Amino acid sequence: MIPPIANKFVAGETPQEAIDHVQTLNDRDVNGILNLLGEHYEEADPANADADTYLELIDDIEQAGVDSCISVKPSQIGLGVGRDLFERNLSRIAERGDEANVFVWVDMEDHTTTDATLDAYESLVRDYGGNMGICLQANLRRTREDLERLSNAPGKVRIVKGAYSEPDDIAYTKKDRVDAVYRDLIEYMFSEFEDGVAIGSHDPAVIAHAKQLHREHETPYEVQMLMGVRTDAQRDLAADGVEVYQYVPYGSKWFSYFYRRIRERKENLAFALRAIVS
Ligand code: FAD
């Protein structure tokens, strides 16, 4: 069982617990994005096993009838072993997602994986129409070009600020610069991605800007936030008619994810401690 502090950020160890959590979100008009917590694998067996678990998770989502998509990390389904294995596993997941009408997101990891992730995604999204999406990171200098490349492809793009520390020649490393570039990229997406824009951010200024751009362009948009972060805002946005998704991690490998959430913001620790004492 996940202990009290961690269960604010992780839905449980089993798919059933994760789906139960999504059901409570759906009751408040918030959709789920289920993510099986895993590792960067250097061997094929565990990568294949996690890909198999994703296939089962898609079945579970279909059977439960909850509003949830899934999000997978490339290194968890074989990219650390090689492109071929990653592409095979992502293809299996995309195919099953398409059959079950469960949307498949591909998370983005550090810059050494960007080309392989984009290439695999781009070839699959053309086969599986609009049932897939990919995350792109505003801190990478290349992202404007990647967005141009994807602007004519089906599928969705989740634009985020970027979670990985990257070298200067590849990425903007100052927070102000990343925030400004993020704003520009979102503006570009609202004018060029008529099928919709996915904003992966907790930043109130960013979300207000997206709302304004939606009024100007009428481009549909959704806001995605993590489980345990600005939960009230998630509920308020949904009540206001915004399409909101909560990224819901689950699984036995929860500790390092939880530890990252706590390290990145002292408010998360305060919040977690309040949850214990109240
Ligand atoms: P920040 O710049 O961290 O914060 C801006 C403002 O937001 C703060 O001043 C505060 O007002 C508010 N805020 C932020 N955090 C909190 C908090 N804990 N509590 C209260 N208020 C807060 N990164 C990747 O590299 N690859 C991915 O695939 C990826 N997928 C993601 C999926 C989702 C759904 C989300 C939400 C993020 C994802 N990220 C991913 C992480 C992303 O790149 C950022 O690192 C992360 O979202 C922090 O940036 P931010 O825009 O939320 O705001």
Side-chain angles (χ1 to χ4, degrees):
M1 215 178 85
I2 310 261
I5 312 184
N7 67 9
K8 297 293 160 196
F9 301 97
V10 180
E13 290 192 295
T14 65
Q16 189 57 53
E17 287 168 289
I19 283 178
D20 288 347
H21 176 78
V22 169
Q23 186 62 66
T24 66
L25 295 177
N26 289 173
D27 293 343
R28 284 176 278 138
D29 294 329
V30 175
N31 308 286
I33 306 176
L34 284 173
N35 170 258
L36 170 69
L37 291 165
E39 293 168 4
H40 177 111
Y41 296 125
E42 299 287 343
E43 287 172 359
D45 285 352
N48 289 332
D50 277 10
D52 289 345
T53 304
Y54 268 113
L55 301 183
E56 290 163 18
L57 179 63
I58 292 172
D59 291 344
D60 292 340
I61 293 170
E62 188 182 26
Q63 272 171 26
V66 288
D67 288 324
S68 187
C69 35
I70 61 167
S71 206
V72 300
K73 286 210 166 14
S75 68
Q76 188 184 356
I77 58 166
L79 189 53
V81 182
R83 276 185 178 228
D84 287 354
L85 184 68
F86 165 54
E87 285 170 12
R88 265 202 311 281
N89 278 331
L90 187 59
S91 169
R92 293 198 292 141
I93 294 169
E95 186 181 3
R96 184 70 198 107
D98 189 55
E99 285 163 4
N101 205 18
V102 172
F103 193 92
V104 176
W105 282 103
V106 184
D107 286 348
M108 189 60 81
E109 298 176 281
D110 72 74
H111 78 274
T112 62
T113 67
T114 313
D115 280 325
T117 304
L118 259 173
D119 290 348
Y121 167 77
E122 200 180 0
S123 72
L124 284 170
V125 80
R126 296 197 188 276
D127 291 343
Y128 295 109
N131 203 51
M132 290 184 81
I134 191 168
C135 180
L136 293 183
Q137 301 146 321
N139 65 330
L140 295 192
R141 294 174 189 269
R142 59 177 289 167
T143 293
R144 172 65 188 241
E145 269 176 45
D146 291 337
L147 279 174
E148 284 169 14
R149 169 176 165 185
L150 292 181
S151 63
N152 295 319
K156 285 196 220 171
V157 174
R158 171 204 303 149
I159 188 83
V160 299
K161 290 184 187 178
Y164 296 82
S165 290
E166 303 284 11
D168 241 353
D169 54 330
I170 285 176
Y172 306 107
T173 52
K174 301 263 184 302
K175 182 164 170 34
D176 286 358
R177 186 69 201 273
V178 174
D179 285 352
V181 172
Y182 191 45
R183 209 181 152 87
D184 289 349
L185 294 178
I186 288 173
E187 284 172 11
Y188 173 75
M189 289 179 73
F190 268 92
S191 69
E192 299 298 325
F193 284 63
E194 287 165 11
D195 292 343
V197 178
I199 309 285
S201 178
H202 311 102
D203 192 333
V206 166
I207 292 161
H209 190 48
K211 244 186 195 170
Q212 176 61 31
L213 291 167
H214 169 66
R215 275 196 287 271
E216 284 167 25
H217 295 270
E218 292 179 8
T219 307
Y221 77 113
E222 65 192 56
V223 174
Q224 303 185 357
M225 295 193 199
L226 302 183
M227 180 178 172
V229 180
R230 301 200 67 217
T231 309
D232 291 353
Q234 296 177 26
R235 194 197 47 224
D236 293 348
L237 283 165
D240 212 21
V242 177
E243 199 175 349
V244 178
Y245 284 81
Q246 184 182 101
Y247 189 100
V248 179
Y250 80 97
S252 57
K253 295 177 183 140
W254 55 267
F255 185 78
S256 57
Y257 176 83
F258 165 63
Y259 185 65
R260 270 204 312 281
R261 295 284 80 77
I262 292 299
R263 265 192 25 181
E264 80 194 359
R265 275 183 86 84
K266 61 181 184 312
E267 289 91 333
N268 284 343
L269 180 59
F271 167 74
L273 289 171
R274 266 203 312 279
I276 299 184
V277 294
S278 59

